Amino acid sequence: MSRYYFHVENQESYTRDENGMEFDSLERARNEASDAAGEILTSDLRAGKTNVVFQIQVEDGNDKRLMTLVVTGAVAAQSRNASGQREVSSDRDEDSAD
């Protein structure tokens, strides 16, 4: 069993994993990082964030980076206009109008 550390970085902060978790393979550590990424993305989107970008850096006990999962997620609101056609808007559309 090896110990893996999962550090999370987003636009606002960096959280260093000081405890880590033990897994019998790098593949199982990657699965854990993928599960954590899904939970973070879901939590951020439910909190109302519309553009989510973060990464999970997986390191071994010697501070050697083994992989980085980069995650991006965006929400676009859809509505229908008077003729029934879909209209899509997002924060990005509003930003580019300036």
Side-chain angles (χ1 to χ4, degrees):
M1 297 281 269
S2 298
R3 186 166 290 274
Y4 297 91
Y5 298 84
F6 303 87
H7 313 304
V8 180
E9 183 174 7
N10 63 24
Q11 302 98 318
E12 302 164 0
S13 66
Y14 176 81
T15 304
R16 184 169 175 78
D17 179 2
E18 298 294 340
N19 300 315
M21 298 175 72
E22 288 188 348
F23 295 98
D24 59 5
S25 69
L26 181 57
E27 180 180 354
R28 290 191 189 259
R30 180 180 49 237
N31 291 343
E32 177 64 26
S34 295
D35 289 347
E39 291 173 13
I40 293 168
L41 180 61
T42 299
S43 176
D44 284 355
L45 293 174
R46 285 184 177 163
K49 295 182 180 178
T50 55
N51 291 304
V52 178
V53 178
F54 66 93
Q55 58 180 303
I56 299 178
Q57 303 159 0
V58 181
E59 294 183 355
D60 65 11
N62 296 316
D63 293 330
K64 178 182 176 189
R65 184 162 306 157
L66 304 173
M67 73 179 71
T68 301
L69 279 74
V70 178
V71 181
T72 60
V75 174
Q78 289 189 355
S79 60
R80 297 200 180 262
N81 63 19
S83 63
Q85 295 177 329
R86 277 194 241 168
E87 295 179 337
V88 178
S89 65
S90 69
D91 288 349
R92 186 170 291 169
D93 294 337
E94 293 170 10
D95 291 343
S96 63
D98 292 336

